[in-house]
Every structure is written in C-alpha cells, then in structure tokens.
C-alpha cells in the first residue's frame, strides 16, 4: 500500500547533516512568489486579494444558500463552511459530513464562489477533494503529519492554519510537509495564538504578515473571526490585516449569529459583512492590491456539478490548482 | 461504513442544553478511581506506580534490546519506544514503522515489560494494537478527534499526553472522546506546556498532579524527559512528581544518548536510570505507593508471540485492558 | 509627610462591597472620550493623531538634535528619548539622567516637539516634570504602584505602557491608580506582550486598539518598535495600527541604528521614518483621522526654556496638561 | 546626592565588550554555595531548610500573633506578612504600613521567628530595614531597578521573587543588580509564572529548582501558595518542591482564611499548616536536608526590641546578614 503517510517511515536519517529547516517553503527557493489559483478565478498571493466568507459550520442548505448569496453579492469570492467540525467537546455539533460537502459545492457553483472546507481525517481527503476547491487544515491539525502528507499527495490548494501555539518556524515546517509531497499550492492562515489574556479568544499575531513576506514565497491570509471571538472586533482587525499586506481574509458570516450552532459570537451577520467590504476597498487599494472583481451570479463559472470519484483525485486537483508563477520551475525530490 | 470517526457527524445537537464538559471523565461519575492494568501486570492508578522507560525512537533491535534489558533490571515495568515519530521537520527521522513494532513486542515479551508506543494515524490503530499493550496519543494529537475516536473504539489502554498549550479542561474533554467510545482505560500524561522561557524544553505543570486527583477518576503520570529536555534535570523532577502523587513516570532512556537519532539531550543513559530508580523507592513509599515489584526476567509473563490479525481488534484489546476498579480503594497520601 | 504612595495604607477596606474594577477608566464614566493635549499642541485621542519619534536612549546632544530635526521635518510632533533606561542587565547603558533631560527639552523647544520620556523612580518624578511634557511609565513599571501614585499626583500627561504579560483588565486598573490621584491625562500604549515565539521581540496585540475603544474613554497608541524588535517590520505594523484606529504611534528613530547604544535593531533611520510618514498619511485619512499638521521649525511653540523648580510641580503640570473633552466629538471610523 | 538608584546613570558603556550576563550570580563565581543567615538562626541554602509562613497581609495584631504562635509551634522559623501590599486594584486593601511592620517585629521576637516582608518603594527601604530581617522584592518589582539598587545598598538579606513572566536569565540579572550593590545575601523565590490556563493562579515552574542549582550559587525557595491560588493544592506542591531540592518554602497561613482581606483562597489554616509540616519532615530528610530545629518559645532569640533609626542602616543590616560560606571571599567591585 502506498499511502503518503508512510513514505518516510523506515528511512533512518542522521539529523546532523540534514538542515532541519524549510527548504521548499523558504523565500529564496523560488524566483517568484507563489500565487494560488482556485477554479473560479480566486487568487491568493496576487494583486487581487481573496475574500473567503461563510458560516463556521454548514447547518442546512437554506442557511448556506442565504449566506453564500449574500457574501457573493457583497464581493467575496470564496465560500467557507465546515462539514467536519473539530470540537473541543464530543458533545458539541460535529458537522453534517458529506451532506454538507454537497451543499457547499452547490452553493459555490450557484454563486460563482470557490469552496474551502476543513478536512480532519486523512481518510476523508479523497472524499473532500471531490467537492471542495481548497482543503483547510485546521489549527489543531497543523502538526497532524499523516494528514499533511495526505493533502500533500493531492494537487488541490491547501489552506494551512497556524497551530494554537506554533512558532513561525514550526508553521513553515508544516507547510514543508505539504510541499514535499509535491503540492505547491499552500496558503498560510494566521488565526491568532493562545495567550494569557481572555479579553479576546486568541491573540492575533499581525506581525507574521510582513514577517512571512521575508521568510517564504507562500501567500498569507488572516482569520480575524477566530482570533477575536467577538464580532464587533472583526472589521477593524480585518482592515488592519489588509493594511499590513495580507493576501486575503477568512471571515465567519452567518445570517443569524445568535442562533448559530457554533461560533455565533464571532460571526458577522450579512449586513455587517457588506459594511466591512465597503471599508476594505480603499485599504486594499492603499496596500497596492484590489478586492475581487464582482461577477454576475450564475455566469461562466457555473460548473458541471459534482466531480464524480471516477474523475480521480489527480485530475480533480490539477483542474483546481494552478501555481502559475513558477516559471523557473520548482523541482521537488 | 462504520468507522468510529463519524459516529457523531450528522447529529445536530444544540449546544444549549448539553453540558459542555466531561461527564464521563469527572471524578464523581464513578464510585472509585480508575486503575488501568496492562497484560504484564503493570498498573496505573493503584498502589503500585508504573515506570515506563525506553528510547524516544526505536532505532534497531540491538539498541532496543539493550535498553529493555537494562530498564527491566532497574525495575521498570513498561517499555516505551517510538515506531511512528511525529517530527516537526519532514527531514527528521520518522521512525521505523511496523518493523519497530515487532522489535518492541519482542523486547517487551523477553523482559516481561508492557509495551506503550505512539500511534499517529487512525489508519494505523489496528496494526499497532496487534503489537502494543498501550496506545500513546502524543502531544500534537491531543485534539486529533478522528484518532481519539479510533482508539476509543478499541479496548486497549490509552496514554493521553497533554497538548502543547492545552488547558486542563480541554485535556479532560479529549479523554472524554475516548471514554465516550467505550474505552475506559485512559491514563493522562503531563509532559510540560509551551512557555516563554527557553531554559527548559517545556514547562512542567506539576500542579496538575493534585489538581486532576480532584477533577477526575483517571490516573495521571508525568513525563519529565520531554518537559525538561535536559537529562540532568530529569531525576529531581521525576522524584518531585512522585512526591506530588503521580501514578507513574514516562522516562526516556537510551544506551548511548549522544548518538540517539532523536531526543538524545534529554535521555538518561542506563546507569543514570538505575540511579534514579534507587532514589525513587523511598519517595514512592512516602507517597503511600510502591515501585513495581521485580520479576525475574523471562518468567511467567512470557507470551505466545505476536497476536495475529485474525485475533481481531476486540479480543486483542480486551485481553490487554482490564479496568478493575480497585475495590480495596486507592490510598492517596 | 504626605507622599502619594501612602494615601491608601492604613485604610482597611473589605473587598466584598468594593467593585474590583476600573471605575474611572471605564468608557461610561465620562460623557466624552478623553483627549490629551501637550503644550506644543500635540493631541492624543482627537482627530489628529500623535506621532512620537526619537531614539531609544539619549546618547549625546548631537545625536538627539539630528534625530529631533529629522523627525520634526518628517511630521512627528512629539520627541521620545530615554534619560533613565530600565535595562535587564546592570552592565548595559543606563541612560544619561538629568543631562539627557536637558537635551530633550532643548531639542523639543528647538523643533516645536513635545517631549515624552520615561521615569523609573518615584523620587525622580519631580525632576522629570521640570523638563518633560509627558511622563512615560514603562512596561516593567506598569504595576509599580508607588510610581503610579506619584505620577497620579502630578498634572502632567502620562503614557502608560502595557506590562509584559498584563491583561487588559490589569492595564486599565493600573491607569485607575493614576486617575484616582486626580491626573486625568492618561494615554495607553500597546507595545507587545511576551510570547512563546522568538520570531519577533514581543507579540503585538493589535486587538486592544478596537477593544479599548469599547472599554475605556482613554486614548490608545501603539509602539511597533518594541513589539517587533526588527526595523523592517515596523512600517507595515505602524500602518496597520493606524488602520485599526490607534490614536498615535511611538517609533524609535536613530540617525545611525547600527551604532545605537540600545535597541539599534529595531530603530528606523531618518530616511525610513520619512518614508513611513508618507505611507501613513492616506491610512490616517481612511481611518477618519489626520497626521499632525506641519509647523515651521522655531515658530510659536518656542518656549521660555527650562521651567525652574520654583514653578512648582502643580503649575508645571497644569500648564502642560489640558484634558479638554472634545466637545465636537471624536469621529471614530 | 548618593542614592544607589543613580550610580550607573551617566556612565555610557558600549554593550559590545561587556558580557551581558550575570557575573556575580553565576555558579562558578564563588567557590561555595551561598548560605543566607537571618539573625534568629534561620538559614537559606544550608542543610536546614527555611520555612517562612504567615498571612498574606498583616491585618491586626491579634491575627498576626495567633498566626505567628501557631506557625512557630508547627516548626516554621520565619514569619511572613505584608505591610505594604501591591494590589492590582487601587480599591483593594493596601496594607497597614509601618504599623504592620511593628506588629511583625513584635510577633517575630515573641516567637523566635525571623521576619520577611515586602518593600515596594525605594523610599521605604530604610524604614523597613528597621523592623525586618529580610526584604522581599515582589513579583511585580523584579525589574524595578531603583528598588533593586536600594536593597542592594543595604546589607539585609533579600528574597527576590521571580517576575510574572521573567525568564531565568532575567531573574538572575535582577539578582545581579542586588549583588552588584555589595549585598551578597540574595535568595531566589519561584512563585509560578503566568500561563494560558486558569485552572491554577499561576504555573509553578518546578524545573528551576534543579536548574538554578547549576546556574547559580544562590539558594532558591518555592512559594506554592501564590503559584496555586488554591489551598488544597499547596501541601502536595510544597512536598514536591522540597523533594526537588528547594532550600525552603514560603507559605501563606491565616487563622481564618475565608475572612482574610487578601489571598484567602490560597491560605492554609493553622491546622492544615501543622499537617503539612508533619508531611514535610521525611521528605526533607530524603532530600538530604532537615526541617528547622524547634526552639522553645521565648528562648534566647528574644531581642532588644525595635532597632532605632539611630542604629543606622549599615549596622542593622550587617547584624542580620552573614554570608558565612564565602571563605574564599567574593570581591565585589
């Protein structure tokens, strides 16, 4: 069996002569910065920033459709939503699984949005790649190495969230696991680290935005929703992130936050999200970037529906991920 | 498909009426404290403490045999050793996989030691249960929920290490995932949390030893090796842990620490481990406990070799794990 | 003797009926937001933001004069510089004391800049108020209560830096010590907190900018220099802070950073500071604020030289600090 | 003016050639370990450990007398109690000041106990040295450099608590400030550091006990009361600290914890303290140490009452502090 999880096992390497750092992720390993493209045209790392928005968890097709339509109208270009939810308590809502994946694909196609959703289990990677455009590796799984290897074996873009108390070096080494599998489409996502203060849910480390620009060629986006845990603080921090140079945002939006099954306190409602998008436009411009271009709903990004499993993992992922900038070509062992 | 990873998915529970806490792990959910037994007679949570010792990673059968013989002679009753190593860098030694599992089983049987080893991937759980007596969930996987559910579906004892910056509540909720699967044999292992100071590798939170005694019926052991990262500090901290009431220790021992493939700096050599065992004896007594009883090598714990996969997961695990509530009561100092 | 340090001593209060929180600092204790004015016209908390710039430590009159002229030309309105330096090691440069205070006053007067400088010792407060326009309480002294009471007894504006691992609540309670002394002119300064990662010197908590807007009527500024510890990261973070709504910045500028006696690595040189000011202008506008208005050097802010001790502490401080509640209201983006 | 606070000011040292570390505090700067003696015979750093016990704050002579008698009977040899309390809120009980100092001296003399009490303000050092046998520098003041210099200029033993998030290196450099003033009698006190978990008040870093044994010749004691914040956890952690090699303990004891004006939740009552002392005896022996020898109340340690200010600071402090072990003689510049 050739699962990616075990390619390294059995190979005894002496640590001494092997540089214990991120060879592939480092800035100077490529001539140009990586730009990650989704099938619907969304880009991470280019002049156009990516706005990923949607509910924490997919709860119903109605909830998702309403949110997707609203965020698309407001200018988002990627739909986020959890089908498999990592929850601290086993008694909390754990997600709707494949049913939610179908809803995400439908809503994404309907409104021209790319779809990013979290995968928790290496055994689910194949299934999730059938529906999603980008695989999210959550905070708790930043060092789930079998999972990193599994997504590294696909050719689907990966959104790699920073671990709860991961150093920048550990984060880049986690990215290295994906890159080493041959998947060049990694986007880093800062979402706050654990701190001693409970005033906010986590402590957003905004310094990584310019810091990572020096250290790596990979794009970095910011998730102010999980960092803050309080909806009112999300817009000013989103604005600050773009001003600091972030290549995109991941924002939780729910049509009815007080009744959300998870993360209601930190979710913007649809009107708040629209207002945020209005504020972001001049800041993006100031930062030398621009918001996603509006596309009329139902235009050319309409799709042929679900990709069946017959299509195979490889074709599905190459269809979605084009790391175009690598003109010099990165040769990965 | 009935993998344990998904039993919850699809079940939408409103958080409001469900107490978001550890029902099964809490102290008052059971009349007595949990005592976890391994097949070779080692116990966690009873009057006799458990001493788990061995190398960070299994490197060769010679290395392992020498270590196992030495720690058994010194009085340890459980052999630790990594077959699958979670490593920050993809370029570091990743473990020998199933080959190492076989070596562990051989060495354990030869010297009458129980075997505890880490499992990283839910797909490896079935394989690892064929060789091990106890499944270790490492720090990085404390909130790897598919993995927790998978080991919760076995009946093999689980050693659940605290996450790098996990609160005590999050740790107990992780244990709850395992207990909820029907596996009652969970042992908690404190191994230090991440801190701002680099003087030691991690910051050992010794307070959890008495604190968990109040909060849960589950046993708690301490891993001073990963906490300190410096061999010289391991013995005094091991002694302190037992004095504080810990039910056991997890100690890294290597016959030749300077040439270890991983964690050499924090590994005791065989002589240092023997010396530590001598120091531990009066402290265990002071704490109302005792060290494992010595058994002559090759006595009645000799085993029939590997359990074939035919034996099935269930019989393998029930054979190993007997949570016999200590009817005589655990005397806690 | 009626030193402020002891006004509370001897008064036994039962904690039960006394709300243990910040009565005077809280948002709703005043009808309007506090705007702190320095004698030279600089304001904190109004439409015009404050730009405080200068060297970490005052090293010589030449160094200070060059820096002051340069930052004034670039648009700063407050000169920072340490006369008394709190240093981790007793063997590091400790500051030039009163000599440096005189240089600061001279340079401030020469270029129309307000002067902010740190006071470490309650016995130095009277002396420092003779020269400065604003008293800085450093990170290590956020909970130096005798010092807080001493500056609370003056009427000179206070710049209160957040402690190294102070919660927002502790910080506001430290401000409460100053306010309770009758000094209403407190400006909070976020400068990063201690974290587990050494990638940057501290971890800037940008969330406090919008958070404090809700919790208190006091203005908040940001010190990206100490937060980052790396000059290259200072400009993008400064920009982000203003975008998030900060009322000002505290920036270390040195004419020759590689030869600075302290904090050279995080100091901008004069050209970098000018470039930062250019970038800040549109961001301030976006945030509904504006940079300080340029004043020709040597204009009406010229002063009568040092205020002698005869002037007395009270008159000196009231002359400097006018908390004029902005009747027109501060428009917050 | 020759206050110690300013001896360094004005001396510009280039950092380059000066080793930025603890010259005087480091292990190899002295031939032997420092043993700090109090006038009543208590020692820190020798074979006999020091047990410092008493209330958080001195509330009345009755409360103090009852506590002092009780802890002396149980075997403590140093009385702790706050006269000046550093409190997060200005509305909390701030201590009784000099009145409390008198009570402490009386109670100490009556029961043969040394007296340790905190000094917050450099202006209070002279006053406190008239009454106390040991000056405590609290957590919030570990880097209050004027205060460190002021106590460094006395010859009275200093108990230097670790800062809330101080690294071991910063702590030793704080000790260096005291040693550099010529005061060789410094005892380090670990009291827990700030962490992300609120299960205990602070996170006790027990690793520093063996670590400091390598790094410095200064003795180290442990304060489990402030570390835990919960009385029930204090005894097992106190035991663990002695087992790990600590040279003493600082324990909060109150005759009526529920009605204490401060820190009631973490204070042992008198019976709990007696029980702890019984448990400590075998552990101290195991660690190669012994508890303080009992002395009949009112024996030869009776004193001539308060030392008047006429006695002068120098004679008062030299009478109290004898660093006997320095046979090789440490020459301090």
């Amino acid at each position: 069996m050739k699962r990616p999880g075990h390619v390294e096992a059995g190979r005894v390497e002496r640590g001494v002569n092997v540089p214990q750092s991120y060879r592939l992720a480092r800035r100077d390993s490529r001539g140009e910065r990586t730009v990650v493209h989704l099938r619907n045209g969304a880009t991470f790392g280019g002049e156009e920033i990516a706005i990923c928005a949607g509910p924490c968890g997919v709860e119903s097709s109605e909830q998702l459709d309403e949110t997707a339509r609203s965020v698309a109208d407001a200018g988002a270009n990627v739909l986020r939503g959890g089908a498999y939810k990592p929850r601290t308590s086993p008694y909390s809502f754990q997600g709707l699984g494949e049913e939610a994946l179908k809803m995400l694909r439908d809503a994404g196609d309907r409104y021209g949005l790319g779809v990013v959703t979290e995968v928790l289990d290496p055994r689910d990677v194949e299934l999730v790649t059938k529906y999603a455009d980008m695989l999210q590796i959550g905070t708790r799984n930043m060092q789930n190495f079998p999972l990193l290897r599994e997504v590294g074996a696909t050719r689907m873009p990966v959104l790699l969230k920073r671990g709860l108390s991961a150093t920048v070096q550990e984060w880049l080494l986690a990215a290295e696991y994906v890159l080493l599998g041959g998947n060049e489409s990694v986007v880093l996502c800062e979402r706050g680290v654990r701190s001693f203060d409970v005033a906010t849910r986590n402590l957003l480390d905004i310094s990584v935005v310019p810091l990572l620009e020096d250290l790596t060629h990979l794009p970095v986006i910011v998730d102010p929703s999980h960092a803050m845990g309080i909806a009112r603080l999300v817009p000013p921090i989103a604005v600050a992130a773009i001003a600091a140079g972030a290549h995109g945002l991941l924002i939780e939006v729910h049509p009815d936050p007080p009744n959300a099954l998870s993360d209601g306190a930190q979710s913007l409602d649809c009107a708040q999200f629209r207002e945020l998008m209005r504020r972001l436009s001049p800041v993006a411009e100031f930062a030398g970037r621009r918001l996603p271009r509006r596309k009329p709903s139902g235009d050319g990004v309409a799709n042929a529906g679900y990709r069946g499993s017959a299509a195979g993992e490889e074709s599905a992922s190459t269809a979605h991920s084009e790391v175009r900038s690598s003109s010099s070509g990165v040769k990965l062992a």
Side-chain angles (χ1 to χ4, degrees), chain A:
Chain A
M1 194 170 45
K2 52 187 175 64
R3 315 187 221 134
H6 288 191
V7 293
E8 307 291 326
R11 186 154 50 115
V12 178
E13 286 178 301
R14 292 269 157 191
V16 185
N17 297 320
V18 182
Q20 297 293 322
S21 60
Y22 40 99
R23 293 182 200 154
L24 303 176
R26 62 189 295 169
R27 178 70 191 89
D28 55 10
S29 76
R30 302 190 60 177
E32 296 169 329
R33 294 193 175 278
T34 292
V35 181
V36 173
H37 296 255
L38 303 196
R39 194 173 51 139
N40 75 324
T43 60
F44 298 76
E47 198 181 323
E48 185 177 294
I49 64 175
I51 303 289
C52 314
C56 175
V58 175
E59 299 167 9
S60 70
S61 57
E62 292 72 25
Q63 169 238 23
L64 190 65
D65 185 82
E66 182 178 348
T67 312
R69 189 184 61 237
S70 178
V71 301
D73 280 353
N77 55 354
V78 182
L79 178 64
R80 64 147 289 155
Y84 303 97
K85 300 295 309 163
R87 300 304 297 274
T88 298
S89 166
Y91 305 113
S92 300
F93 173 53
Q94 306 277 325
L96 298 174
E98 187 169 2
E99 193 186 345
L101 293 174
K102 289 178 185 169
M103 295 177 195
L104 283 163
R105 185 71 267 156
D106 274 345
D109 289 347
R110 198 173 302 124
Y111 301 108
L113 299 165
V115 168
V116 59
T117 194
E118 180 165 358
V119 58
L120 291 179
D121 190 322
R123 297 167 298 191
D124 292 334
V125 169
E126 190 178 341
L127 180 70
V128 178
T129 57
K130 289 183 193 158
Y131 297 101
D133 299 309
M134 187 176 214
L135 302 170
Q136 180 177 314
I137 302 294
T139 292
R140 295 172 180 84
N141 287 311
M142 192 200 82
Q143 291 191 317
N144 182 335
F145 302 119
L147 184 60
L148 293 177
R149 288 201 190 92
E150 199 75 43
V151 302
T154 74
R155 293 298 171 267
M156 180 163 279
V158 172
L159 185 64
L160 180 62
K161 288 196 152 190
R162 184 181 186 176
L164 197 56
S165 57
T167 63
V168 168
Q169 168 139 334
E170 289 166 343
W171 192 10
L172 288 171
L173 282 165
E176 191 82 2
Y177 271 90
V178 180
L179 297 172
L180 197 58
N183 187 341
E184 301 182 29
S185 300
V186 179
V187 176
L188 302 166
C189 179
E190 164 67 26
R191 45 78 71 201
V193 293
R194 181 144 275 183
S195 119
F196 54 83
D197 199 352
V198 295
T200 51
R201 184 172 178 182
N202 291 290
L203 202 173
L204 186 83
D205 184 2
I206 199 166
S207 74
V208 299
V209 174
L211 181 64
L212 287 169
E213 203 176 307
D214 282 1
L215 299 179
T216 184
H217 52 81
L218 299 172
V220 57
I221 71 169
V222 168
D223 171 357
S225 303
H226 282 88
M228 297 297 113
I230 303 168
R232 205 204 69 71
L233 301 179
V234 169
I237 299 304
V239 162
I242 296 301
H247 295 110
L249 294 168
L250 185 66
I251 308 270
E252 287 192 343
V253 180
H254 193 284
D256 183 16
N259 288 306
L261 293 181
S262 53
D263 285 354
Q266 72 197 33
S267 294
L268 301 186
D269 65 26
C270 298
Q272 289 166 330
F273 179 71
R274 267 196 307 277
E275 171 59 20
L276 168 60
M277 290 299 287
R278 269 195 290 274
R279 289 179 60 190
L280 280 173
S281 184
V283 184
E285 199 174 331
F286 155 79
R289 303 250 165 77
R290 63 168 190 273
L291 291 186
R293 268 184 285 262
R294 286 285 175 70
K295 297 188 196 69
S297 292
D299 74 356
V301 291
N303 295 294
Y306 309 139
R307 290 174 296 287
S309 56
E313 181 182 286
E314 195 181 342
S315 66
S317 54
T318 50
H320 283 243
S321 162
E322 301 166 30
V323 181
R324 287 195 210 138
S325 66
S326 56
S327 59
S328 60
V330 180
K331 295 291 172 271
L332 300 171

